[in-house]
Amino acid sequence: MSIKLENVMYTYSPGTAYEIHALKNINLDIPDGQFIGIIGHTGSGKSTLIQHFNALVKPTSGTITYNGDDVWADKYDRRALRSEVGLVFQYPEHQLFENDVLSDVCFGPMNQGLSRAEAEKEARRALLQVGFKEENFSKSPFELSGGQKKRVAIAGVLAMNPKILILDEPTAGLDPKGRDDILDQIAELHKMRGITIILVSHSMEDVAKYVDRLIVMNHGEVAYDNTPKEVFKHYEELEKIGLAAPQITYIMHALKDNGLPVDADATTVAEAAESILKALKEKGGQKHA
Amino acid sequence: MLKDITIGQYYPADSIIHKLDPRVKFVGTMIFIVSIFIFNSFPGYFVAGLFLASMIALSKVPPKFMFKGLRAVFMLLMITVIFNMVLTPGDIVFKLGFIKVTREGLIMAGKMAVRLVFLISGSSIMTLTTTPNQLTDAMERLLRPLNRIHVPVHEIAMMMSIALRFIPILMEETDKIMKAQIARGADFESGNIIQRTKNMIPLLVPLFISAFRRANDLALAMEARCYHGGENRTQMKPLKYERKDYMAYLILIAYLAAAILFRVFKL
Amino acid sequence: MGIIKALKLGFDYLKYDDDGNVESTQRAVDDVNLDIEAGEFIAILGHNGSGKSTLAKHMNALLLPSEGTLWVDNMDTASEADTWKIRQKAGMVFQNPDNQIIATVVEEDVGFGPENMGIPTADIWTRVDDALQKVGMTTYRHHSPNKLSGGQKQRVAIAGVMAMRPSCIVLDEPTAMLDPNGRKEVIKAVHELNKTENVTVILITHYMEEVIDADRVYVMDSGKVVMQGTPKEIFSRVEELKHYRLDVPQVTLLAHELKKNGLDIPDGILTTEELVSVLCR
């Protein structure tokens, strides 16, 4: 079970003066069960890329297969594909429309042909799994806070039981606590349902903490595709393309340059703290409590 | 399809037409539209066509752009032509079953087609060479006399220019909402009319809510920048007639006179 | 007395039932006291719903206090006669870049404020030229706002406020909808205005990186000011910030973790350099 992109190109307004190559020769393999981060600045092609995964956008050339079948073949059921590959867009305001939360989340499963009762079962399960409280099921989605709306939007896609869940900047506009809560919840989902998660983000700090594979997009191409640790080793190149490694990477490199034997590959605060404490101990305990 | 509508799109270029006072262009467009209904013969249309062609040439807007605007009204054009062709009584040129095409019908259809094409291209020149803001400024100034009968001219002009700013934004938003709902299995393409209308709800509700939100935000932002209606308001780009504008008016008057003469002498 | 001063400021949002009677009230700002000196760079931090945006709208007389008083340059915002003067004195930049740009051409939008103020045409042009140059957007003056990036749009919005020659600008989460590069661009522009033009800045945000260089920080929670001080003082209280749904920059957090593990590290480390010099001394 996997999505495969082979030589995928996407061009806006081909043949005119406004021609823009949004994606150039992309080759990617998304196997089951991974937690993937996609990062890149605005205009790097990451939004166009994720819309190829569930056939919302047709590539100008190249092939996209899901479980070995070409998704742009004539008889391919792309609506069915979209239930397997769920995509949650950045602004929940773009999809919430029903009078109450539960009905809104039922929209997806009912489009799959489930009865209202069956759909409600899926909706309840999805809402609870994203940490949305049962007592708020009958509230209007428009009365909710930003973080709650985001949860309902994610549940709206999750209720369709996708095998792959793509989230486009799920933390945009949330405050720090709201941001951490949503990301923790997504990581929890990854464990609980065992589904593939593709997380589009602007925050290196966030991806460093959660994902096990990081794809960096630049000018419509895949610049890096590796574990976050490996990618952040190229922090100087990342800066050249308008991105930056997590602050921790810089701290660790600065410490190492100043003679403290720390592990410069640490990417999270916890890893860094551990490595610094160890390094200081090794240095002979001149530095102490 | 929506992208093909050139009306309301500005094409930046450095031409005499671009530099004319928007009021001249507005009045000129009105005169041109009137003229194509005054002219009633193919020689007359030739004069109008010549006038139009020289304006297009002077405007430095590639004709390709002009014709893009026509593509959007192509269906309307075809319907007009066909109706005129088959519904006008007169000498029958040929018959196809119960459909009779008459000589008068062909002439009428030809005239209507010419008029429509001229109408659209004529107004496109105005919108392609004038920024929407200049255009609303022109309307505000030209309609100012209506203030006396309590028509809120300034408010109407302000509403128009805001609409022009937000149409592209809302169109882009429509596209995003559609994609978000398609990702949830929504179907905007199949079913009969009633079903299709019902299927639009997931698109329209978020769109309206967003539009209201934007309106609310914008009202606050305008108030914060001291907007309090048209009273005591100055203009950054006040309209002032220059020599070339008076010249343009003269040419327009001459052109209108020619049209009237053509009509009077049945040329 | 400072440029902006609030005394026991309170504000209630009213919720009406179908008959137009007040059904419930919700306190959005509660007993807030502020005293902001001209030329200061002030940051107001708080999670979503903490009341910081409601407070901001008071500084521009877009909302009027239910209780207490707010003065802008010695003018009571509740006095209707001064409303337009106050709005000119304390300009406001909002969160959504698209929803505050009125005109279809950049320079015309910057001219919108001065037009409303009744400034003579020639002066409008000087102000617009000036304002565009101050935010580095002169090259884009003839562009359509729709073609600009988020950061550029916010700079246009800032220019639109600067063209009104305010003594103070209030920015209500100006970076919440921007990507990291756009965020940096806007914050840099605001700092420059503060330094070169001596404009008082009140920046409302929930991004910690943006407040490091502020002169003073206020932290809000459920309508109240719960913490205030220099960034260093504020960031040395990591646990307290977390309690208010906020966080601290990674370097501050790392320093805090190390301290918890027994290292002798001062509170409120804000930059990589500080931490390195402490650890490698």
Side-chain angles (χ1 to χ4, degrees):
Chain A
M1 297 262 266
S2 73
I3 308 180
K4 244 196 195 102
L5 274 70
E6 274 170 75
N7 304 320
V8 167
M9 308 260 263
Y10 185 77
T11 313
Y12 284 106
S13 343
T16 70
Y18 305 104
E19 195 173 271
I20 299 168
H21 299 287
L23 293 179
K24 293 177 226 165
N25 205 24
I26 303 281
N27 289 288
L28 279 176
D29 194 353
I30 314 278
D32 256 4
Q34 286 189 336
F35 196 145
I36 302 173
I38 299 185
I39 223 161
H41 54 79
T42 311
S44 61
K46 56 187 194 314
S47 300
T48 315
L49 177 65
I50 55 170
Q51 292 180 25
H52 279 80
F53 290 153
N54 71 342
L56 273 179
V57 171
K58 189 179 177 179
T60 314
S61 67
T63 44
I64 298 166
T65 57
Y66 180 67
N67 298 338
D69 300 321
D70 183 350
V71 303
W72 287 102
D74 274 347
K75 295 228 172 91
Y76 195 86
D77 185 354
R78 281 179 286 276
R79 273 186 77 187
L81 170 74
R82 288 177 196 129
S83 340
E84 301 260 308
V85 184
L87 172 54
V88 188
F89 280 87
Q90 188 176 355
Y91 295 108
E93 289 80 4
H94 283 162
Q95 67 173 68
L96 303 178
F97 72 101
E98 277 283 7
N99 290 327
D100 62 281
V101 169
L102 193 63
S103 308
D104 202 281
V105 178
C106 284
F107 180 68
M110 283 171 78
N111 282 330
Q112 290 176 302
L114 298 191
S115 69
R116 171 80 195 195
E118 288 167 320
E120 258 183 41
K121 215 177 109 201
E122 292 298 335
R124 280 174 185 282
R125 184 163 92 109
L127 279 166
L128 292 172
Q129 280 184 346
V130 295
F132 193 84
K133 294 204 178 63
E134 179 133 25
E135 68 223 44
N136 295 329
F137 280 9
S138 56
K139 270 200 180 159
S140 158
F142 307 107
E143 284 176 23
L144 304 173
S145 71
Q148 297 297 342
K149 276 186 191 162
K150 197 76 80 175
R151 280 166 212 270
V152 175
I154 295 173
V157 173
L158 195 63
M160 297 168 77
N161 273 315
K163 305 269 185 301
I164 298 170
L165 184 63
I166 310 168
L167 301 121
D168 190 0
E169 287 184 50
T171 58
L174 300 182
D175 58 32
K177 180 76 163 44
R179 194 183 66 206
D180 293 347
D181 288 351
I182 280 282
L183 290 173
D184 286 343
Q185 200 79 56
I186 291 167
E188 189 64 34
L189 267 180
H190 176 63
K191 264 192 240 139
M192 208 158 36
R193 288 207 177 193
I195 55 179
T196 309
I197 303 271
I198 300 177
L199 179 72
V200 177
S201 173
H202 273 309
S203 164
M204 287 291 184
E205 282 79 9
D206 289 348
V207 291
K209 195 165 156 197
Y210 294 97
V211 309
D212 35 55
R213 173 181 172 192
L214 178 58
I215 298 172
V216 179
M217 295 292 295
N218 185 41
H219 289 303
E221 286 171 300
V222 175
Y224 298 98
D225 179 1
N226 213 323
T227 59
K229 264 194 192 1
E230 286 300 317
V231 173
F232 295 147
K233 281 186 182 158
H234 304 276
Y235 67 103
E236 277 157 335
E237 287 94 330
L238 285 173
E239 261 172 46
K240 279 190 199 120
I241 60 176
L243 298 168
Q247 205 184 6
I248 289 294
T249 306
Y250 296 94
I251 299 170
M252 298 310 264
H253 277 276
L255 287 173
K256 207 173 176 186
D257 292 346
N258 280 282
L260 196 65
V262 292
D263 172 18
D265 294 344
T267 50
T268 64
V269 172
E271 279 172 14
E274 193 185 325
S275 166
I276 291 171
L277 290 170
K278 206 172 125 218
L280 287 172
K281 219 174 267 166
E282 272 168 23
K283 243 186 143 186
Q286 314 101 303
K287 195 151 308 251
H288 51 80
Chain B
M1 167 79 184
L2 283 172
K3 277 184 211 131
D4 291 336
I5 300 174
T6 46
I7 295 175
Q9 264 185 35
Y10 176 67
Y11 184 91
D14 187 29
S15 81
I16 175 94
I17 304 280
H18 280 79
K19 282 185 197 141
L20 282 179
D21 189 292
R23 284 171 292 180
V24 177
K25 288 186 260 188
F26 193 81
V27 171
T29 308
M30 291 302 136
I31 288 184
F32 183 73
I33 291 172
V34 169
S35 82
I36 54 181
F37 288 96
I38 297 178
F39 282 127
N40 202 13
S41 62
F42 286 104
Y45 292 148
F46 180 72
V47 174
L50 214 60
F51 182 77
L52 184 67
S54 27
M55 290 304 133
I56 295 177
L58 279 177
S59 73
K60 292 188 185 163
V61 176
K64 204 174 77 185
F65 253 87
M66 228 35 102
F67 298 126
K68 245 174 118 189
L70 288 176
R71 221 186 301 162
V73 291
F74 183 73
M75 276 312 287
L76 180 69
L77 190 70
M78 287 320 286
I79 292 166
T80 322
V81 165
I82 290 168
F83 268 77
N84 273 296
M85 227 153 58
V86 299
L87 293 178
T88 317
D91 299 341
I92 291 165
V93 181
F94 66 87
K95 256 168 91 167
L96 201 85
F98 64 95
I99 298 168
K100 298 177 206 108
V101 176
T102 63
R103 208 173 73 88
E104 285 79 358
L106 280 176
I107 292 172
M108 198 62 175
K111 284 182 176 172
M112 285 313 288
V114 169
R115 279 176 177 168
L116 251 171
V117 169
F118 281 9
L119 187 88
I120 302 293
S121 345
S123 9
S124 305
I125 296 185
M126 174 173 74
T127 54
L128 283 165
T129 63
T130 321
T131 65
N133 273 32
Q134 287 174 325
L135 211 61
T136 41
D137 274 359
M139 283 191 44
E140 191 179 345
R141 277 294 284 272
L142 288 167
L143 298 179
R144 199 176 276 173
L146 292 181
N147 253 336
R148 248 175 267 150
I149 54 167
H150 301 294
V151 178
V153 176
H154 167 78
E155 282 72 12
I156 293 172
M158 183 55 83
M159 271 159 59
M160 277 183 55
S161 70
I162 288 172
L164 284 168
R165 156 131 175 75
F166 279 88
I167 285 168
I169 293 176
L170 289 176
M171 264 162 57
E172 200 177 304
E173 188 144 40
T174 310
D175 186 55
K176 282 187 186 152
I177 296 171
M178 241 167 135
K179 278 185 175 163
Q181 302 297 30
I182 290 173
R184 293 213 284 163
D187 184 359
F188 295 114
E189 272 146 16
S190 51
N192 60 30
I193 271 249
I194 297 168
Q195 257 164 347
R196 274 202 205 193
T197 319
K198 233 181 111 189
N199 290 349
M200 293 302 270
I201 294 173
L203 171 62
L204 292 178
V205 172
L207 187 63
F208 276 120
I209 288 176
S210 153
F212 279 118
R213 198 194 147 78
R214 284 181 192 281
N216 201 15
D217 283 4
L218 191 69
L220 262 188
M222 286 171 75
E223 258 190 73
R225 282 163 79 185
C226 293
Y227 181 73
H228 51 281
E231 252 173 274
N232 302 327
R233 202 166 180 268
T234 46
Q235 276 179 311
M236 181 179 176
K237 296 178 176 172
L239 299 175
K240 240 178 26 215
Y241 283 130
E242 284 170 38
R243 239 183 77 133
K244 58 177 181 295
D245 300 310
Y246 293 117
M247 291 295 292
Y249 271 129
L250 275 180
I251 295 171
L252 282 170
I253 291 168
Y255 170 73
L256 186 65
I260 294 169
L261 287 177
F262 261 69
R263 182 74 177 235
V264 171
F265 293 105
K266 297 207 165 61
L267 282 173
Chain C
M1 181 156 136
I3 181 102
I4 289 184
K5 191 176 158 72
L7 194 67
K8 298 200 160 140
L9 191 71
F11 183 79
D12 295 317
Y13 275 114
L14 304 181
K15 201 172 168 185
Y16 295 93
D17 62 12
D18 293 338
D19 303 323
N21 303 314
V22 176
E23 191 179 72
S24 65
T25 63
Q26 199 197 346
R27 191 120 265 229
V29 173
D30 195 7
D31 192 26
V32 167
N33 297 296
L34 297 172
D35 197 351
I36 296 169
E37 294 296 329
E40 272 192 302
F41 193 116
I42 299 289
I44 301 183
L45 277 174
H47 62 81
N48 292 341
S50 60
K52 59 192 194 303
S53 284
T54 310
L55 176 63
K57 289 194 180 93
H58 279 84
M59 299 180 185
N60 195 269
L62 287 171
L63 291 176
L64 299 178
S66 318
E67 253 171 48
T69 322
L70 188 119
W71 294 272
V72 174
D73 202 17
N74 293 322
M75 291 178 282
D76 183 345
T77 57
S79 118
E80 243 174 78
D82 290 333
T83 302
W84 303 113
K85 264 196 259 169
I86 289 166
R87 289 190 184 157
Q88 182 267 317
K89 274 272 173 229
M92 183 127 182
V93 176
F94 298 86
Q95 186 184 91
N96 190 327
D98 274 322
N99 297 356
Q100 56 184 317
I101 295 180
I102 291 111
T104 41
V105 180
V106 166
E107 61 174 17
E108 287 177 14
D109 188 73
V110 177
F112 181 75
E115 285 183 334
N116 293 330
M117 288 157 62
I119 307 289
T121 302
D123 295 348
I124 298 183
W125 281 90
T126 337
R127 282 169 178 241
V128 169
D129 292 349
D130 235 35
L132 280 171
Q133 193 242 323
K134 276 174 198 158
V135 299
M137 286 297 291
T138 308
T139 355
Y140 297 92
R141 62 184 306 157
H142 300 298
H143 283 232
S144 154
N146 291 339
K147 298 267 152 73
L148 303 179
S149 73
Q152 290 172 330
K153 283 183 207 169
Q154 285 302 53
R155 272 150 71 202
V156 171
I158 294 171
V161 167
M162 285 307 290
M164 296 165 69
R165 305 254 161 103
S167 26
C168 166
I169 42 178
V170 184
L171 301 107
D172 187 5
E173 296 197 49
T175 57
M177 297 179 79
L178 306 183
D179 66 7
N181 290 336
R183 244 183 265 157
K184 276 185 212 141
E185 190 180 314
V186 169
I187 296 302
K188 196 172 144 246
V190 175
H191 270 290
E192 248 164 52
L193 288 177
N194 177 246
K195 264 186 221 116
T196 57
E197 308 294 321
N198 206 30
V199 181
T200 313
V201 171
I202 294 155
L203 174 70
I204 288 151
T205 183
H206 54 231
Y207 288 113
M208 304 301 134
E209 314 87 83
E210 294 174 1
V211 312
I212 292 171
D213 298 318
D215 295 324
R216 278 194 298 140
V217 181
Y218 289 94
V219 178
M220 288 192 69
D221 185 68
S222 39
K224 286 193 170 76
V225 171
V226 288
M227 294 167 83
Q228 54 176 307
T230 62
K232 221 177 183 47
E233 287 161 12
I234 298 288
F235 284 135
S236 50
R237 290 144 78 180
V238 176
E239 299 301 330
E240 209 176 327
L241 281 170
K242 280 191 176 166
H243 170 75
Y244 295 127
R245 293 180 64 93
L246 297 168
D247 63 4
V248 293
Q250 274 198 328
V251 60
T252 315
L253 191 60
L254 178 59
H256 181 74
E257 285 298 315
L258 292 173
K259 190 180 177 177
K260 270 205 297 198
N261 276 285
L263 291 191
D264 176 23
I265 288 177
D267 280 327
I269 295 260
L270 294 180
T271 64
T272 304
E273 292 76 42
E274 277 178 78
L275 183 65
V276 171
S277 75
V278 167
L279 287 177
C280 298
R281 73 193 147 189

